[in-house]
Amino acid sequence: MFRKRSVILFGTFLFVCWNAVLVLLLWSRDPTPQIENPDERQAPPPDVLLDVLKMADAFEAELERQKDILLQIKEQKQRLVEVHRASNRSDPLSPPPPPLIPVLVMACNRVTVRRCLDKLLQYQPSQTHFPIIVSQDCGHEDTAAVIQSYGSRVTHLKQPELGLVPVSPDHKKFQGYYKISRHYHWALDQVFRIMGHSAVVIVEDDLEVAPDFFEYFLALHPVLTSDPSLWCVSAWNDNGREGWVDPAQASLLYRTDFFPGLGWMMLRRLWDELEPKWPPSFWDDWMRQPQQRRGRACVRPEISRTMTFGRHGVSLGQFYDKYLKFIKLNSEFVPFTKLDLSYLQEEAYQVAFDQQVYSAPLVSYEDLKQMKLQGPGPFRLQYSSKEAFKVMAKNLGVMEDLKSGVPRAGYRGVVTFFSRGQRVYLAPPAGWKGYDTTWS
């Protein structure tokens, strides 16, 4: 009822604004002098008529655009109603129907969004339970044409604010990051506030998904919903390059203190928390700050369920040539919804993880590099300073950057990876006391 009233009020607001503009235009005209002869009366100045017509066209176009968006929202809400009715009609003894989890594709000016959408639609198990929403920034017509070519299979939203974001002179070179943050804020508001969804999976337009992408998020939705110590589920492993992951462990999942992004699920309750303080730029690094993370973790896989093919973008290919283009995309369908994922619960996971890491034999960096390790592993390599971590990580092919002291893919300071077919834990000393935020 509240949303219906909002739509009515919005339409009323547009109507009042339109009439107010007409009244102001009429008031701004010079009074027409009274002339006895009707034939001598002057016609309205042509520039005024032209302005009125232009404004009328602009308002008509805006109303049509809003009408399209409202129709798309209506379709999304109808799907929510259908899922709710199906849930109420279901047999109490039968398993509940799958939740409705939309996939939000963040697009701008890359026509290669087709590759992303083709894979999503290829693996999409249900349009009702996994609707695809494309939110487009930039106003790029060729990209819009690609998105619209999919018709009713996707919902196409267009971010209305396309102008520059006001920034300080020293941040003009970061204008792209400000626009991205603005777009995320608008798009997430549409999904949670306007469409009324309770969860969403976010992907960028340069990501390709794995065959079990939807299965992965479907299985982890109840895990995320029921565990307040988690705040996201990601399909991405920052150290997931070919040779750095165990190909025999496609079903293996981890908790991580690092926000991975690049194909991730969040709940509406998290948006309610973050939206009032959403940053004007660099939203992903902002998410990695302790004030936002608040000690919570994300779930990530051993083998990524997304891979990026977008070398060119706002970040100008940062990390792409060295790391990102070598990320291994999972090709084996894992039936996650049939697996027991209770091991991811915080207390049990932390105990088991610490036992696994600190019971592993401690080895030296030289022995690891010279392949002098004895036994099948796993092995533990210890660091005690930021400099030691960065040197060892870089030389072992692991991403060495830290955000507020947290290493990529790290959990309790530990980064796990494969090296020449053996599991290695790059770990701080036992008795970990927490992250040092100066390690950045």
Side-chain angles (χ1 to χ4, degrees), residues 291-346:
Q291 298 90 333
Q292 279 63 253
R293 191 172 69 83
R294 292 169 50 196
R296 294 171 292 190
C298 294
V299 175
R300 66 145 179 108
E302 169 77 2
I303 303 177
S304 292
R305 265 59 188 185
T306 56
M307 63 167 286
T308 178
F309 54 85
R311 185 181 189 281
H312 301 288
V314 171
S315 62
L316 301 178
Q318 185 185 27
F319 302 129
Y320 184 83
D321 289 328
K322 188 174 181 181
Y323 294 103
L324 302 184
K325 74 177 182 180
F326 300 109
I327 293 293
K328 176 180 173 62
L329 181 66
N330 182 61
S331 58
E332 172 192 346
F333 186 93
V334 175
F336 282 109
T337 54
K338 298 179 181 179
L339 301 182
D340 181 6
L341 302 179
S342 60
Y343 69 91
L344 292 169
Q345 294 174 359
E346 182 181 29

Side-chain angles (χ1 to χ4, degrees), residues 17-170:
C17 288
W18 166 237
N19 284 278
V21 169
L22 288 178
V23 171
L24 289 173
L25 281 170
L26 291 173
W27 279 354
S28 66
R29 292 175 55 190
D30 294 331
T32 304
Q34 299 296 320
I35 302 175
E36 293 295 333
N37 187 351
D39 296 333
E40 296 180 7
R41 289 178 183 156
Q42 295 180 352
D47 57 337
V48 173
L49 287 175
L50 185 61
D51 288 343
V52 171
L53 290 173
K54 285 181 178 179
M55 288 187 178
D57 289 341
F59 270 93
E60 184 178 2
E62 177 62 20
L63 286 171
E64 284 297 322
R65 194 183 71 80
Q66 294 296 333
K67 178 183 176 182
D68 290 341
I69 292 177
L70 289 172
L71 286 173
Q72 292 172 351
I73 292 171
K74 182 179 178 181
E75 292 174 359
Q76 293 285 332
K77 288 184 176 179
Q78 184 60 36
R79 289 172 184 165
L80 280 169
V81 171
E82 291 172 1
V83 172
H84 179 68
R85 287 175 177 171
S87 177
N88 290 337
R89 289 195 303 265
S90 60
D91 186 339
L93 299 179
S94 65
L100 195 158
I101 309 174
V103 177
L104 175 63
V105 181
M106 304 297 290
C108 183
N109 58 359
R110 286 190 278 221
V111 295
T112 51
V113 66
R114 183 180 298 280
R115 178 173 170 182
C116 172
L117 292 175
D118 283 347
K119 286 298 182 180
L120 284 170
L121 290 168
Q122 178 182 345
Y123 300 131
Q124 181 188 44
S126 164
Q127 186 173 357
T128 298
H129 294 100
F130 296 97
I132 296 173
I133 304 166
V134 185
S135 181
Q136 186 191 0
D137 199 359
C138 307
H140 191 250
E141 292 183 2
D142 290 343
T143 302
V146 169
I147 299 167
Q148 290 164 3
S149 70
Y150 289 90
S152 61
R153 291 184 293 171
V154 306
T155 297
H156 185 196
L157 304 180
K158 294 182 179 180
Q159 207 281 106
E161 297 182 73
L162 301 179
L164 295 176
V165 180
V167 299
S168 59
D170 59 325

Side-chain angles (χ1 to χ4, degrees), residues 101 214-226 230 233-234 253 265 299-301 336-337 341 344:
I101 309 174
F214 291 96
E215 173 77 1
Y216 174 76
F217 284 109
L218 178 60
L220 285 163
H221 178 268
V223 176
L224 178 63
T225 303
S226 62
L230 294 173
V233 174
S234 175
L253 306 179
M265 178 166 60
V299 175
R300 66 145 179 108
F336 282 109
T337 54
L341 302 179
L344 292 169

